[in-house]
Amino acid sequence: MIRLAIVQEPPVFLDRDKTIERAVQLVQDAANQGARLIVFSEAFIPGYPAWIWRLKPGGDWGLSEQLHGRLLGNAVQLGSDQLRPLLEVAKEMQVTIVCGIDERDEDTSRATLYNSVITISPQGTVQNCHRKLMPTNPERMVWGFGDASGMKVIDTPVGRVGSLVCWENYMPLARYALFAQGIDIYIAPTYDSGDRWIRTLQHIAREGGCWVLGAGNVLRTSDLPADFPEVERLYPDKEEWINSGDSVVISPAGEIVAGPLRKETGLLIADINVSDVNAARRSLDIVGHYARPDIFSLQVNTRPQRPVSFNE
């Protein structure tokens, strides 16, 4: 049995360094309760740009620029030492961490953001970084399009782990690309919530014969910083749950075994048996004995995006 923890806590919103400090403490808390895999939500560092669902694209242009500037300034640059405290605590506590981040491009303009999820090993290294392929609706005014170079299933001490972010999980071919790599623990950091979303995750678990972890994003008006601009207009209800979370653990049979954690904060802890995937795939293995490769095939372009060259 493997113990895992899904962290359903708000970040220190729009403050990268303080959010990382909070994440370190949460990792320690989870590890001290025996968790070997610790999962954070979509864009946890430094927070999901929830304002995009309330601003008007034209009329709120100035406010959008102001908030985007704060997000950009607090986004994570993977080539820097910004994540060092999180890497060090992974090594200290000997845990695997999966965490959503706002990632700032370092290769070209240095001004493009990506909705990324990173996997940190117990050796304190970033094993993988997956950038969300297709930002959803107004998210396209915040994040660039990712590629499939990080769409990998990673061997970890807790099993073979992979991740798709939020509505990427509605992309059948993206799911299949993970299933085809022998995934044991399928992680879905998300801003979505509610019963319809949970039913989607249950379907994915049954479809892939794998454990599914829905890492929900939780945020209240009271979690916004005191200097958040025009908060009275955008979030007039001081008691509002901007997002209710709904973190959940689902077995390879599609059954909920922990959660959903709704409108509350905390650690969702569960003990799972990774070998349950073998029993689930005995009758239905959609990339194995239930596949028809003579009829269907999937081709994935795993090459990373190349910067534009003026010489070409």
Side-chain angles (χ1 to χ4, degrees), residues 141-284:
M141 299 186 71
V142 177
W143 293 308
F145 292 9
D147 59 37
S149 61
M151 203 162 65
K152 301 173 182 175
V153 172
I154 303 297
D155 275 313
T156 76
V158 298
R160 290 180 60 76
V161 172
S163 182
L164 292 178
V165 183
C166 204
W167 276 21
E168 276 189 312
N169 291 284
Y170 284 125
M171 302 172 73
L173 299 184
R175 297 199 306 269
Y176 194 92
L178 293 189
F179 297 152
Q181 296 176 64
I183 193 167
D184 297 321
I185 304 174
Y186 181 117
I187 298 174
T190 183
Y191 189 73
D192 207 341
S193 59
D195 293 336
R196 185 168 62 177
W197 175 251
I198 292 169
R199 288 194 295 270
T200 292
L201 298 184
Q202 288 180 277
H203 166 83
I204 292 171
R206 184 73 182 96
E207 176 184 60
C210 54
W211 288 93
V212 171
L213 312 184
N217 200 296
V218 69
L219 189 69
R220 299 155 296 191
T221 301
S222 58
D223 296 316
L224 300 176
D227 62 347
F228 191 91
E230 299 192 35
V231 66
E232 296 84 3
R233 174 170 71 91
L234 298 177
Y235 304 100
D237 182 357
K238 295 183 180 180
E239 304 300 319
E240 179 185 1
W241 286 84
I242 299 170
N243 201 308
S244 60
D246 281 349
S247 293
V248 66
V249 179
I250 301 170
S251 78
E255 299 172 349
I256 296 174
V257 300
L261 198 63
R262 180 169 291 172
K263 290 189 176 180
E264 58 180 303
T265 60
L267 299 175
L268 183 64
I269 293 178
D271 295 317
I272 69 171
N273 189 340
V274 174
S275 65
D276 286 350
V277 302
N278 298 324
R281 292 172 186 164
R282 182 189 67 82
S283 57
L284 179 66

